[in-house]
């Protein structure tokens, strides 16, 4: 299940995507438009900034903006920042691989084979779900 933090990050990114190339959005506007607690949003935006998905400009007319086109940012990108691996178990993760303690031989593990298929289908769907697709759902 997606965490509330990740859901709020996605909502903030979709809001910024709607404003892409139209200037900056303040945290107050994003928080109000997307019904996100402002203090929580500020922390989320800082994480997105560290991940180089957004940037900000200080000042009265400043705010946040996307660093990439909405076509280039996917649900998978955001999910990995806030909720970690897409895989259901660490042994099938592409970016966070770890061997399972209870597994004798990964090569013949009946769970791993099927969970790799699930991971790949989920990853593909999440990569296809770009910010642009969320905008076009309105």
């Amino acid at each position: 299940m997606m965490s509330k933090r990740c859901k709020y990050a996605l909502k903030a990114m979709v809001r910024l995507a709607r404003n892409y190339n139209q200037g900056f959005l303040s945290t107050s506007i994003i928080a109000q438009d997307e019904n996100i607690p402002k203090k929580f949003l500020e922390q989320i935006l800082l994480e997105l900034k560290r991940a180089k998905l957004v940037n900000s400009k200080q000042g009265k007319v400043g705010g946040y903006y996307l660093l990439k086109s909405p076509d280039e940012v996917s649900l998978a990108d955001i999910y990995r920042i806030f909720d970690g691996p897409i895989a259901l178990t660490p042994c099938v993760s592409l970016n966070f691989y770890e061997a399972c303690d209870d597994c004798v031989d990964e090569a013949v593990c009946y769970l791993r084979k099927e969970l790799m298929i699930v991971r790949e289908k989920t990853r593909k769907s999440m990569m296809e779900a770009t910010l642009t697709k969320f905008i076009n759902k309105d």
Side-chain angles (χ1 to χ4, degrees):
M1 184 181 316
M2 180 185 288
S3 68
K4 189 174 275 193
R5 187 175 186 84
C6 186
K7 182 180 176 185
Y8 285 166
L10 179 58
K11 289 175 74 173
M13 290 294 284
V14 170
R15 181 63 186 90
L16 288 168
R18 284 190 189 108
N19 200 64
Y20 186 64
N21 282 336
Q22 296 176 31
F24 310 102
L25 286 177
S26 70
T27 53
S28 298
I29 289 172
I30 299 168
Q32 182 179 351
D33 289 354
E34 298 301 326
N35 199 26
I36 303 171
K38 189 172 183 251
K39 289 286 184 193
F40 201 17
L41 176 62
E42 289 169 352
Q43 294 170 6
I44 289 167
L45 288 169
L46 285 175
E47 273 190 74
L48 290 167
K49 189 173 179 179
R50 277 192 290 273
K52 298 188 181 353
L53 292 181
V54 302
N55 205 354
S56 63
K57 180 182 177 189
Q58 298 289 329
K60 191 173 183 175
V61 294
Y64 283 87
Y65 60 96
L66 290 181
L67 283 173
K68 297 179 178 182
S69 159
D71 288 331
E72 297 175 39
V73 181
S74 71
L75 173 57
D77 298 326
I78 297 165
Y79 188 89
R80 284 184 177 124
I81 293 166
F82 293 95
D83 287 348
I86 293 169
L88 295 174
T89 58
C91 68
V92 299
S93 177
L94 293 174
N95 298 322
F96 302 94
Y97 171 85
E98 287 180 30
C100 294
D101 297 336
D102 59 326
C103 190
V104 179
D105 184 3
E106 277 184 1
V108 295
C109 178
Y110 61 91
L111 291 178
R112 187 169 195 266
K113 288 178 184 179
E114 193 61 29
L115 291 177
M116 286 180 84
I117 294 168
V118 170
R119 182 223 50 223
E120 197 50 36
K121 288 179 179 178
T122 304
R123 187 191 69 77
K124 184 176 185 252
S125 293
M126 291 175 83
M127 291 297 293
E128 290 171 356
T130 64
L131 295 178
T132 299
K133 295 225 175 143
F134 284 98
I135 292 168
N136 293 334
K137 298 284 185 214
D138 292 346

